[in-house]
Structure formats: structure tokens, C-alpha cells
């Protein structure tokens, strides 16, 4: 059972309750003047109630003139409909600060704001504005977002080279392949493979092999010219590039750029039968004759072309 304090002490008691709340409570009277400013607000704003009571919204918060908060207070006083301001759109409208430790800089409080109508003692509509400190919730949300972004990045990128991985390749290729088929536009797939890479590992060690893969990955990436071009690590020492809006001639140009970019690196390969530097072979498949085949056939065609480039002596391109 709850008991009600003596009526004479009631106002003091309500005042005590309001000042003990761990949230900001502000009340505007029917003329829009601040009629209540609780202790939480005094502490977080550094402004005592005596300084704030009787002031209207714009006078008290000039930095919120014509803001969504001011409009909402006015809307509640005139229309009487409660408003909740989304914390992601209106994170910290009021100048309120929290200092966790004396030696720390005060941090601006992230705020969730509710504005609701009240029936005032003058029987007119007043406005209650509550401010909740949601700094920790916002911080947790940001951490979760960052983690989700990292997870997405890891599931679509290769850990060694940081290039998009095979999963990303297949999703992108399906998408672009569908578009190219619908619009009857060209699309090219290039399969790139490092020559004699097993011998490179055997001669220089697996870690040197890893460094070589990273360098070749970045070199191939540097040859991608359009925003829609995508180079991916297909697996092992194989890379696949997707070039939308690119016909066979365009694909040949990119493949030649890849061969020379790799040659320019002059990565010594002591065991290569092809030359003294690391080289790559490239197979090209273009969709002109493949309008109605599934995407895996385009990859297979590029793979076959790559096989021909290898068989013909490596460090070359085959279409
Ligand atoms: N260091 C390193 N080696 C890898 C990685 N992935 C695949 N390899 C190696 O790449 C080599 C590929 O060998 P093969 O498929 O025989 O091809 P290759 O030696 O390049 O010969 P060709 O392609 O015919 O020129 C294997 O020795 C794999 O172990 C990797 O992430 N790091």
C-alpha cells in the first residue's frame, strides 16, 4: 500500500522527487516560460534554477532557435501532441555535460528527449520536457556498428591481401552478369595466375611467398581504372578481375597493363623457367558469345584461356 504525505508537505515532497530523478525535467508554462528546472539539469548544464526560471525557450537556449526541439515544444503547447525525438537524429541538442572523473574533460551528454503536454495549475496547456542520458547506449551502439562493419569486411575480404575474396567475386559477378545480359552490354572476366609460384615458395620460403602475393595483389589492383572494375583473390595464387562494360579489346588492354605492372615490380624469382622476375599468365573471357549461359561458364572460359596461356609458355595473355 502507498501512503500519501501530509498535504502541507506535499509540494516539498514532489520537489524532492523531481530533484532526485536521474534525468532532466523541464516544464514550460502556457506562455512558454520555464516553470521547472530540476537538479539534474542544474548539474549537467552548470546553470542554477534561479537563472533559468521565467525565461522563454529562445532566450534560454539561443542555439536551439528554429530547431526541431523548439518546434516540438511549441507544437506541444499549441497542438497538445506528445513528441519523441529520435536519439540517432537528434543526439545532443542541449548544452549538457558529464564529467566522470575530475581529471577528465567534460563530455557532451547524448540525449533522448520526450516532450509531452500537461494540464497546468492555470487549467491551460503546459509542456513537460524530459531528457535522458543515453551516452552509454549510443557508445554501445557505435561499438556494435563498428564490429558489424568489421565482420562484413572480413567475410568479403581475403585476410592476406585484403582484396575482395571469392564470395564477393561471385556476388558481384552474378549481379553484373545479370545486368550485362539484360542490357546486352559487354563484360569481361580476367583470370590471373602467378607463374611457377610453387617453385617461388620452395626457393624463398612460404613467408616470402606471402609477401609476393600481397605485392602482386596491390600491383593488379593498381591497374583497375574504373569504379566498376573489381579485382579479387580467387584462391591460392589466382586472381580474378571483373570488368563491366568492357569488350575483348578493352580486356586485352587491361591484361597488357597487368603484365607490364607486374614486370615493373622486378620481383626476383630464382627458380622460374620463364625469366628472372615473377611473371603472371592471364586468361580472358568476354560475354559477347555467351549471352545466355550461367556465370560459372564465364569463369570456366577464363580458366580455360588461362590454361592455354600457361601451356603456350606463361607470361602471356590468352583469349
Ligand atoms: N606463400 C603462399 N603460397 C601459396 C598460397 N596459396 C597458394 N600457394 C602456393 O601456390 C602454389 C601454386 O602451385 P601450382 O598450382 O602448382 O602453380 P605454379 O607453381 O604457380 O605453376 P604454374 O601456375 O603452372 O605456373 C602452391 O605451392 C601453393 O602452396 C598462399 O597464400 N601463400
Amino acid at each position: 500500500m502507498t501512503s500519501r504525505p501530509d498535504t502541507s508537505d506535499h509540494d516539498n515532497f514532489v520537489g524532492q522527487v523531481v530533484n532526485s530523478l536521474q534525468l532532466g525535467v523541464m516544464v514550460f508554462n502556457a506562455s512558454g516560460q520555464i516553470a521547472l528546472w530540476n537538479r539534474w539539469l542544474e548539474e549537467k548544464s552548470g546553470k542554477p534554477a534561479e537563472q533559468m526560471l521565467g525565461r522563454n525557450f529562445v532566450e534560454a537556449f539561443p542555439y536551439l532557435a528554429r530547431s526541431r526541439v523548439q518546434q516540438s515544444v511549441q507544437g506541444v503547447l499549441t497542438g497538445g501532441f506528445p513528441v519523441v525525438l529520435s536519439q540517432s537524429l537528434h543526439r545532443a541538442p542541449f548544452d549538457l555535460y558529464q564529467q566522470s572523473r575530475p581529471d577528465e574533460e567534460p563530455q557532451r551528454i547524448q540525449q533522448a528527449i520526450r516532450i509531452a503536454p500537461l494540464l497546468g495549475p492555470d487549467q491551460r496547456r503546459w509542456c513537460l520536457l524530459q531528457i535522458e542520458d543515453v551516452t552509454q547506449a549510443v557508445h554501445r551502439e557505435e561499438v556494435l556498428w563498428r564490429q558489424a562493419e568489421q565482420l562484413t569486411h572480413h567475410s568479403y575480404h581475403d585476410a592476406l591481401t585484403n582484396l575482395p575474396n571469392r564470395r564477393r567475386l561471385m556476388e558481384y559477378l552474378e549481379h553484373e552478369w545479370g545486368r550485362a545480359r539484360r542490357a546486352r552490354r559487354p563484360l569481361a572476366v580476367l583470370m590471373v595466375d602467378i607463374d611457377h609460384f610453387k617453385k617461388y615458395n620452395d626457393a624463398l620460403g612460404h613467408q616470402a611467398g606471402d609477401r609476393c602475393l600481397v605485392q602482386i595483389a596491390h600491383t593488379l589492383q593498381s591497374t583497375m581504372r574504373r569504379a566498376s572494375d573489381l579485382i579479387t583473390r580467387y584462391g591460392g595464387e589466382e586472381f580474378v578481375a571483373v570488368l563491366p562494360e568492357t569488350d575483348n579489346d578493352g580486356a586485352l588492354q587491361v591484361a597488357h597493363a597487368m603484365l607490364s605492372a607486374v614486370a615493373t615490380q622486378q620481383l626476383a624469382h630464382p627458380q622460374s623457367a620463364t625469366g628472372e622476375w615473377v611473371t603472371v599468365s592471364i586468361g580472358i573471357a568476354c560475354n559477347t558469345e555467351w549471352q545466355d549461359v550461367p556465370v560459372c561458364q564465364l569463369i570456366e572460359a577464363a580458366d580455360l584461356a588461362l590454361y592455354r596461356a600457361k601451356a603456350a609458355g606463361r607470361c602471356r595473355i590468352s583469349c
Side-chain angles (χ1 to χ4, degrees), residues 269-287:
H269 190 328
Q271 297 288 320
S272 172
T274 311
E276 58 183 314
W277 315 118
V278 170
T279 56
V280 296
S281 299
I282 304 176
I284 297 176
C286 199
N287 70 336

Side-chain angles (χ1 to χ4, degrees), residues 280-308:
V280 296
S281 299
I282 304 176
I284 297 176
C286 199
N287 70 336
T288 34
E289 293 146 38
W290 301 84
Q291 290 291 357
D292 290 318
V293 300
V295 76
C296 61
Q297 279 195 30
L298 199 65
I299 295 265
E300 275 169 33
D303 202 17
L304 268 175
L306 172 65
Y307 177 80
R308 289 196 296 273

Side-chain angles (χ1 to χ4, degrees), residues 91-103:
R91 287 218 157 160
F94 287 97
D95 263 346
L96 301 171
Y97 291 87
Q98 169 76 10
Q99 194 170 16
S100 322
R101 291 208 320 257
D103 57 331

Side-chain angles (χ1 to χ4, degrees), residues 26-130:
M26 214 184 292
V27 173
F28 295 91
N29 66 19
S31 317
Q33 293 163 322
I34 300 176
L36 193 146
W37 179 262
N38 78 339
R39 190 164 299 143
W40 189 92
L41 284 172
E42 290 188 313
E43 286 168 9
K44 310 300 179 195
S45 68
K47 291 180 176 152
E50 305 86 70
Q51 191 185 324
M52 302 306 287
L53 297 178
R55 302 175 81 180
N56 68 30
F57 192 97
V58 175
E59 197 193 332
F61 316 108
Y63 54 90
L64 288 177
R66 289 182 295 282
S67 69
R68 185 83 178 85
V69 188
Q70 188 202 1
Q71 287 164 2
S72 305
V73 169
Q74 269 165 1
V76 165
L77 286 172
T78 51
F81 294 107
V83 178
V84 175
L85 294 181
S86 132
Q87 69 197 57
S88 40
L89 288 179
H90 311 272
R91 287 218 157 160
F94 287 97
D95 263 346
L96 301 171
Y97 291 87
Q98 169 76 10
Q99 194 170 16
S100 322
R101 291 208 320 257
D103 57 331
E104 269 184 5
E105 279 283 298
Q107 299 289 317
R108 197 176 176 102
I109 291 173
Q110 306 292 311
Q111 302 150 29
I113 296 174
R114 288 167 189 274
I115 307 167
L118 291 176
L119 184 64
D122 54 3
Q123 299 304 307
R124 292 166 69 194
R125 194 178 294 130
W126 287 30
C127 169
L128 165 68
L129 189 151
Q130 299 172 72

